[in-house]
Amino acid sequence: GCRVGVVCYAPATRPFRSNNNKGMHTIHETPDAVHGRDVLWRNHGWLTPAVLLMRKLRFGAKATVISVCFALPLLLLTALLAQEIWRDIRQVRLQREGAVYLQAVLPVLQAAQAHRALADGALFGIAASNAQRAEAAETLRRHLQALQTVDDRLGELLQTAKHWQALQKAVEDQTQSSADNASASAVAAALRLWEHVAETSGLRMDPQPALHYLISATVLEAPEMLLALSQTRRLAAFQLRAPTAETGQRLADQAARLEAALARAQRQL
């Protein structure tokens, strides 16, 4: 019923036919409802169900849903960031402990080379006295004992058990025998332990370019330069005391080896 003087219009309807067991009847739907759904799907697409859900929720429920939607990605990003930071901390710790271990290996390597020089001198007719050999052996054992203290603390972290046992056996053979192969095996065992620690600690593959080249020059090339320098020095002394063509050729080869190692270190620095 409309009031007098007011023009009333009946809402237009869209007929829909429905079939059931009782026969045909007509369902009427207003154009506003149809137009509203069309606008929602056109504006929001696949998010339309979420929009309809949010319209039905109260303010408190809406705030909770929105907070959860923002909190979950933040928590995920925080977890990933914490994992990355922990990985970096662990890598830095490994590199630091590896550097400490290598500092203890270096005196053992130098002492093994000095003891080997005495055995090489005997082959060239330059026999060392018993006191010299005893002193060199004692120096080697003392540095090995210092390395054992470091290995007891860091060996499990750097996984050095196999190479450490091999070095102990090689040093024992070297100090008990004057044979050249025993002394050479001690130096080789020390070098293998050095390489293993450099690899396990991550010093060999530092992700930062500046540190990578610095570590390569000081850590990776150092054993090669020390070995080449020691052998060059010994061969030069032998060549001065008893010159031979064979010794001269070996001296030239070792000098070229030392020059190449120095050139690589200079390029990396």
Side-chain angles (χ1 to χ4, degrees):
C2 298
R3 291 180 298 175
V4 178
V6 177
V7 179
C8 297
Y9 298 93
T13 60
R14 180 185 296 181
F16 291 91
R17 292 286 181 177
S18 176
N19 193 4
N20 54 28
N21 294 331
K22 295 181 180 181
M24 302 291 293
H25 68 277
T26 302
I27 301 176
H28 297 279
E29 185 173 358
T30 63
D32 293 338
V34 177
H35 178 71
R37 284 203 308 271
D38 293 341
V39 171
L40 283 175
W41 281 102
R42 184 168 60 251
N43 293 337
H44 302 288
W46 61 275
L47 292 176
T48 300
V51 174
L52 294 176
L53 175 63
M54 294 298 290
R55 287 183 176 181
K56 294 180 180 180
L57 294 178
R58 295 183 177 181
F59 177 78
K62 291 180 180 179
T64 302
V65 172
I66 294 174
S67 299
V68 171
C69 291
F70 277 99
L72 288 179
L74 290 177
L75 289 175
L76 178 60
L77 291 177
T78 302
L80 294 177
L81 180 60
Q83 183 180 8
E84 185 68 21
I85 292 175
W86 172 249
R87 186 184 299 112
D88 293 340
I89 292 174
R90 184 177 182 275
Q91 183 63 34
V92 171
R93 182 195 173 199
L94 277 176
Q95 291 180 346
R96 182 188 63 190
E97 303 297 1
V100 172
Y101 200 102
L102 292 181
Q103 287 178 349
V105 176
L106 184 59
V108 176
L109 178 60
Q110 293 173 331
Q113 290 176 337
H115 193 277
R116 178 184 178 182
L118 299 178
D120 289 344
L123 296 178
F124 287 91
I126 308 174
S129 64
N130 293 334
Q132 289 176 323
R133 292 185 55 81
E135 182 181 0
E138 180 62 25
T139 301
L140 179 55
R141 292 193 187 97
R142 185 173 66 254
H143 289 309
L144 186 67
Q145 184 65 31
L147 177 59
Q148 184 173 6
T149 304
V150 178
D151 186 81
D152 292 340
R153 183 169 60 91
L154 302 177
E156 183 177 358
L157 178 64
L158 299 174
Q159 304 176 4
T160 59
K162 177 181 177 181
H163 296 280
W164 168 245
Q165 293 175 0
L167 177 60
Q168 285 181 310
K169 184 178 184 303
V171 169
E172 184 65 23
D173 293 341
Q174 176 171 334
T175 55
Q176 295 296 329
S177 175
S178 60
D180 180 66
N181 57 354
S183 61
S185 64
V187 175
L191 289 175
R192 285 193 294 268
L193 178 60
W194 181 289
E195 291 291 334
H196 173 77
V197 172
E199 181 73 27
T200 306
S201 63
L203 290 171
R204 182 183 294 275
M205 296 298 294
D206 193 281
Q208 299 184 13
L211 291 179
H212 171 72
Y213 289 115
L214 179 61
I215 292 173
S216 297
T218 57
V219 174
L220 305 181
E221 296 294 342
E224 179 70 18
M225 290 188 291
L226 288 174
L227 185 60
L229 181 61
S230 176
Q231 293 176 348
T232 303
R233 183 181 62 249
R234 291 198 310 271
L235 290 175
F238 298 153
Q239 182 67 4
L240 290 174
R241 294 192 180 187
T244 62
E246 181 181 358
T247 304
Q249 183 61 42
R250 293 178 59 187
L251 178 60
D253 294 340
Q254 289 299 329
R257 180 182 178 184
L258 177 60
E259 184 178 358
L262 289 174
R264 287 195 301 270
Q266 289 177 351
R267 286 196 302 268
Q268 292 171 350
L269 290 176

